[in-house]
Amino acid sequence: MRGPQSEFDSTHDYYVGLLELAYKKINKPLTIKLSPYMVQQRALNELKAGRLIDIYWAGTDSERESSLGFVPIPLVKGLLGYRVFTAHQSAAASLAQISTLDQLKTHRLCQGAHWPDTDIMIAAGLNVMPNAIYENMFKQAYSGRCFAFPRGINEAHSEVLSRKKSMPELIVYDKVILHYPFPMYFFIKKSNETLITDVTNGLNKAIEDGSFDEYMKSHESTKHLFPLSKWKLSTVISIDNPFLDPKRDIKNPKYWVDLSH
């Protein structure tokens, strides 16, 4: 398993713990060893080749699903596709004026060079400045090189909190939310059928008995999201995800959360 993206990668523990929960549900032992950090594309290449890592969580697209095995269960129930804005506090007034996609298009956004999010945003006509290094995007948003760094609603608050000493004026603006259907999956080498089956069975058991939801409601990186009704007053700007398999049942409440109502 890949190590954290930086010392401030506050969401890494969520996915490790979710994998541990899955194995607890199927009563199988689990040993986790962390590799050194690597950028997303290299991690996917290592996974395909069967080197260094044998499981990796990432947002999906059709190319990844065709070249890798995966567990088709959204790891944060689709909340990764609800993007709030990490920015310097001086951008708050401008963010407060945004209520439409056209208004958002006038601002430059930081986003990961190898992330499917970047392609999704560009396809919607947004102005995106890609960067391969996770930590650099926070620095760019903080310095004003980009207007904001859209982050998953499950990621942003803990990420900003962990940087309070080094970036005291970094904020999360969540009164405006950019949304596209975007599941985060566990990816696994196709030939590792046992691992795919075990993780799938374990996560489904956790969903069925309610422990998946309880984990989300109690973990440090996601507990602030609940109750979900708190997001009803936020403005949600929705865009399409043309890279998502149309067969995905994104309306199934068993696997997906909808904040737009």
Side-chain angles (χ1 to χ4, degrees):
M1 179 179 287
R2 188 196 70 175
Q5 299 181 85
S6 78
E7 63 179 304
F8 303 116
D9 185 0
S10 54
T11 60
H12 185 273
D13 177 71
Y14 174 87
Y15 300 103
V16 174
L18 195 60
L19 187 62
E20 290 172 335
L21 176 63
Y23 269 77
K24 180 180 178 182
K25 293 300 169 182
I26 58 173
N27 296 311
K28 280 194 171 185
L30 174 67
T31 300
I32 294 176
K33 295 181 180 179
L34 299 181
S35 76
Y37 168 69
M38 59 193 83
V39 297
Q40 190 168 107
Q41 192 55 54
R42 185 191 168 194
L44 292 168
N45 290 339
E46 293 293 330
L47 190 60
K48 290 176 192 176
R51 301 184 302 251
L52 292 180
I53 57 175
D54 51 21
I55 189 167
Y56 180 69
W57 55 90
T60 193
D61 61 23
S62 54
E63 190 280 328
R64 292 176 180 184
E65 292 184 18
S66 65
S67 61
L68 287 162
F70 64 99
V71 176
I73 297 173
L75 301 181
V76 283
K77 294 202 164 184
L79 287 172
L80 185 68
Y82 288 90
R83 314 297 281 198
V84 294
F85 297 90
T86 297
H88 190 274
Q89 66 180 22
S90 61
S94 296
L95 281 161
Q97 300 302 311
I98 295 172
S99 60
T100 68
L101 180 60
D102 284 342
Q103 290 170 334
L104 186 58
K105 286 178 180 179
T106 64
H107 299 283
R108 184 166 61 177
L109 306 173
C110 289
Q111 202 65 194
H114 305 298
W115 299 354
D117 310 80
T118 299
D119 294 330
I120 295 167
M121 292 180 194
I122 290 173
L126 290 166
N127 181 0
V128 180
M129 183 171 72
N131 193 304
I133 307 301
Y134 169 75
E135 201 60 39
N136 285 352
M137 289 178 276
F138 292 97
K139 295 175 182 177
Q140 288 175 325
Y142 197 69
S143 67
R145 286 197 62 201
C146 62
F147 175 64
F149 179 19
R151 298 296 290 144
I153 199 170
N154 59 300
E155 300 169 322
H157 288 272
S158 60
E159 289 175 335
V160 168
L161 184 62
S162 68
R163 290 169 176 80
K164 271 301 176 189
K165 287 186 178 179
S166 59
M167 300 180 183
E169 296 179 338
L170 191 69
I171 64 164
V172 177
Y173 190 86
D174 56 16
K175 300 295 187 292
V176 176
I177 299 173
L178 176 66
H179 174 247
Y180 40 91
F182 188 52
M184 173 86 83
Y185 290 150
F186 278 129
F187 286 92
I188 298 164
K189 189 176 182 181
K190 275 189 174 183
S191 60
N192 197 341
E193 295 179 2
T194 298
L195 183 56
I196 295 170
T197 299
D198 284 348
V199 178
T200 301
N201 289 342
L203 290 180
N204 271 320
K205 285 179 181 291
I207 288 171
E208 293 294 341
D209 70 12
S211 55
F212 190 111
D213 283 354
E214 287 305 312
Y215 179 74
M216 288 185 68
K217 290 176 182 177
S218 62
H219 193 274
E220 195 63 34
S221 69
T222 48
K223 65 182 183 181
H224 71 280
L225 300 172
F226 299 90
L228 296 175
S229 58
K230 70 194 291 183
W231 304 104
K232 287 184 177 180
L233 297 179
S234 295
T235 297
V236 178
I237 300 172
S238 294
I239 60 176
D240 292 332
N241 178 355
F243 308 102
L244 183 66
D245 186 336
K247 296 192 296 292
R248 295 283 167 257
D249 182 8
I250 62 174
K251 301 295 185 183
N252 187 343
K254 179 178 177 180
Y255 297 113
W256 292 82
V257 167
D258 185 357
L259 299 185
S260 61
H261 296 310

